[in-house]
Amino acid sequence: MGIRRRHRVLAAGPLAVALLSATGCTSAPSAGAEPTVAPSASGSVAVARVCAKPAAGPVRAPAGAVTVDPAKAGDLAAKTKSSPPHTTFWLRPGKHRLDPDRYAQVVPKEGNRYLGAPGAVLDGGKKNQYAFGGTARDVAIRHLTVQRFVAPHDEGVVNHDSADGWVIEHATIQHNSGAGLMAGARQRVRASCLRGNGQYGMNAYKGKGRLSGLVVEGNEITGNNTGDWERRRPGCGCTGGVKFWAVDGADVRGNWVHGNRGAGLWADTNNNDFRIESNVLEANDGAALIYETSYNAVIRKNTIRRNNWVEGRKAADRGDSFPFATVYLSESGGEPRVRARTDRIEIARNVLEDNWSGITLWENADRFCNSPANTSSGDCTLLVRDTDRCARPAIATAPLYADCRWKTQRVDIHHNRFVLDPSVVKCAVKCGRMAVLANYGTYPDWSPYQGERVAEAITRKQHNRWHDNVYVGPWTFVAHDPSRELDSGQWQGMPYRQDAGSTFRAQDGG
């Protein structure tokens, strides 16, 4: 798939309840617990509690539906094969199984509908790799539990082949290897439980064709990456609740994303036109949200709490000075030349409470098209069609100098509330930072971005702006490079002039 890690390795692990040491940063991880308390009412976002109380399916077969018998192994696949397109299938209560062959699966026809009765489960028995595959469009799966399939790494169980137009509603997809769900264009995933899957709850990746018009709404996405893939393959960048890869147009709203090992939501490489709104992102081991080498997004009205305790603390324990963040933008920004509903990245009207640090805007000076340091191997920006053009000497001149690298630019961070209580996070240092920075460019030797050029650009020239925010607690700020840590006065003063109109006060109960 080409999914690779970003500029640094993040250690993954279960949700930690940490003990305060002399440095304020010693961890004592527990065994992958979900949040011990439900989200409070500090934000206005409702929680999608669909795993505990899934909506029940029809107790009787709808008129004209084909009834599927759980007592007959392979009945669902066989009846799908023998029925015409646009057939509705009703799965009786009970445990349905496929034939024992590892590649046995249901291959829907266009427009098929699969409805589960209360208690209907499609179980892979830890033998079958895939539940639903094939390329048929406009398939719907509702009120069905799909569990215990063993898809390989980076592959998925439901919609294995990323067919277009699928609708997944009121489903429970749990305890599978790989990704519980793949995605195609115009896919709708609503009011479903994506829980305890080995790699991702959903992997929004399409090997061929365009993945656009994705809606992920009102789902509970929890406890995924049980396989701890970042430990098994260090630097893979292949973990979390949901991974998005080259998705052009997505609405991610009203979801409860919590207790995942790794990041909660991760958009990685040439995603564009995202709206991430009214979600609760809570108690994920890593960042709540990573937006990496991507474009144009609105991130607003989310409640983001108690994320990044595990990965942030581990970085601090090993002496890493990088500002590991809860909302992390890596080489991502607004680009008017890439068509979208916005021409910037707007982060507005969110509540961030007791996370390990806040928002980091980062740009790796060594990461650009054709650079060996580009971890999205073989990919280039959306502004350059021929990657081979990004080479010397042309890359050192316009327009390629600007267009051959993903840039963190035109990011507008405003009207957010950032609350940090160190007694809750159990950390005294390195856990309350905002940052805009880059590394010193060194590699490869033909790079035109060497030295402090990128650090100067991201900090002062690329229209990245904080303003009109509220800070409660001991926040500090990092600008230009990891060594420049500032207080609020320095952050607001020359030459950075950030957070005009913002307020800062010590912890006072929020």
Side-chain angles (χ1 to χ4, degrees):
M1 290 178 56
I3 293 179
R4 298 291 185 270
R5 194 45 140 176
R6 52 198 188 279
H7 79 285
R8 54 195 171 87
V9 175
L10 292 177
L15 179 65
V17 178
L19 302 176
L20 182 64
S21 71
T23 64
C25 300
T26 299
S27 60
S30 63
E34 293 189 4
T36 55
V37 294
S40 70
S42 61
S44 59
V45 178
V47 175
R49 301 177 182 274
V50 295
C51 291
K53 295 182 179 180
V59 296
R60 294 181 180 84
V66 174
T67 297
V68 182
D69 186 353
K72 298 177 181 178
D75 194 42
L76 179 59
K79 286 178 175 175
T80 295
K81 185 176 181 179
S82 63
S83 300
H86 302 282
T87 297
T88 296
F89 300 87
W90 180 70
L91 285 73
R92 291 183 181 274
K95 185 179 290 186
H96 296 255
R97 296 188 182 275
L98 302 176
D99 291 332
D101 181 84
R102 63 186 295 190
Y103 296 111
Q105 58 190 286
V106 181
V107 182
K109 297 173 183 175
E110 182 175 332
N112 281 0
R113 301 287 183 264
Y114 297 88
L115 304 177
V121 176
L122 181 59
D123 193 299
K126 295 295 183 181
K127 295 179 181 179
N128 306 119
Q129 291 191 168
Y130 316 121
F132 293 90
T135 59
R137 297 187 174 197
D138 303 327
V139 172
I141 299 171
R142 296 184 172 95
H143 303 290
L144 182 63
T145 294
V146 180
Q147 65 183 28
R148 301 205 312 148
F149 286 80
V150 287
H153 182 260
D154 284 338
E155 297 186 38
V157 169
V158 175
N159 198 9
H160 168 261
D161 298 292
S162 300
D164 295 340
W166 284 39
V167 175
I168 314 296
E169 289 184 329
H170 304 295
T172 297
I173 303 174
Q174 64 182 7
H175 311 318
N176 303 288
S177 300
L181 175 63
M182 300 296 287
R186 299 180 290 103
Q187 182 158 299
R188 305 288 188 266
V189 185
R190 292 192 175 106
S192 292
C193 171
L194 309 181
R195 173 173 60 188
N197 296 290
Q199 189 180 1
Y200 305 113
M202 182 173 72
N203 185 8
Y205 168 79
K206 188 176 177 70
K208 296 181 180 180
R210 190 165 177 261
L211 208 176
S212 59
L214 179 64
V215 173
V216 182
E217 181 177 25
N219 305 286
E220 184 173 354
I221 303 165
T222 182
N224 295 290
N225 186 29
T226 60
D228 198 2
W229 279 97
E230 205 62 48
R231 178 185 59 79
R232 296 166 66 178
R233 297 187 181 182
C236 73
C238 59
T239 58
V242 180
K243 188 73 174 278
F244 304 89
W245 185 276
V247 176
D248 187 12
D251 291 334
V252 182
R253 56 182 178 248
N255 303 284
W256 186 17
V257 183
H258 65 102
N260 295 286
R261 178 177 279 150
L265 302 174
W266 189 345
D268 185 356
T269 305
N270 286 340
N271 297 278
N272 175 52
D273 195 13
F274 271 53
R275 294 200 171 190
I276 302 171
E277 302 175 314
S278 301
N279 302 283
V280 175
L281 310 177
E282 180 175 36
N284 298 289
D285 283 1
L289 170 63
I290 300 174
Y291 206 71
E292 179 178 1
T293 53
S294 294
Y295 300 89
N296 301 325
V298 175
I299 303 164
R300 65 188 175 194
K301 297 182 180 179
N302 300 287
T303 298
I304 303 171
R305 59 151 47 79
R306 295 187 293 115
N307 296 281
N308 205 30
W309 286 15
V310 172
E311 294 187 0
R313 195 181 313 277
K314 284 186 177 181
D317 285 351
R318 65 175 180 261
D320 195 326
S321 63
F322 189 87
F324 287 77
T326 285
V327 176
Y328 177 47
L329 271 61
S330 176
E331 297 91 23
S332 291
E335 176 50 75
R337 291 175 292 172
V338 177
R339 185 175 180 180
R341 291 167 287 183
T342 181
D343 62 2
R344 58 181 173 164
I345 292 182
E346 182 182 19
I347 304 175
R349 303 188 186 282
N350 304 286
V351 175
L352 285 81
E353 179 178 325
D354 293 330
N355 301 285
W356 189 282
S357 287
I359 299 172
T360 288
L361 308 187
W362 161 257
E363 199 168 322
N364 183 347
D366 300 328
R367 185 179 189 182
F368 53 91
C369 303
N370 271 341
S371 169
N374 177 20
T375 52
S376 296
S377 303
D379 287 280
C380 193
T381 71
L382 294 179
L383 302 174
V384 179
R385 293 185 179 275
D386 183 1
T387 305
D388 291 340
R389 295 176 61 208
C390 296
R392 60 182 174 184
I395 193 174
T397 60
L400 294 179
Y401 180 83
D403 292 353
C404 288
R405 64 176 300 108
W406 294 272
K407 291 191 289 187
T408 302
Q409 63 179 6
R410 299 172 60 85
V411 181
D412 190 9
I413 302 169
H414 65 93
H415 292 96
N416 302 285
R417 182 177 180 84
F418 302 109
V419 178
L420 175 65
D421 184 344
S423 70
V424 173
V425 183
K426 296 183 172 62
C427 181
V429 296
K430 296 184 179 179
C431 55
R433 295 184 287 178
M434 296 281 168
V436 53
L437 76 166
N439 59 321
Y440 189 90
T442 61
Y443 180 78
D445 59 7
W446 54 270
S447 168
Y449 311 108
Q450 294 187 12
E452 296 185 348
R453 295 179 181 182
V454 174
E456 281 294 306
I458 188 176
T459 306
R460 301 173 61 181
K461 300 176 182 178
Q462 292 180 180
H463 308 287
N464 297 314
R465 183 174 175 236
W466 278 257
H467 63 95
D468 297 296
N469 298 296
V470 172
Y471 294 86
V472 179
W475 290 93
T476 58
F477 304 86
V478 179
H480 190 276
D481 64 75
S483 69
R484 299 191 190 183
E485 190 153 337
L486 316 170
D487 62 27
S488 60
Q490 294 168 317
W491 176 247
Q492 289 185 300
M494 293 290 291
Y496 307 111
R497 295 186 295 181
Q498 291 289 1
D499 264 316
S502 297
T503 61
F504 304 83
R505 63 178 184 269
Q507 180 70 37
D508 61 358

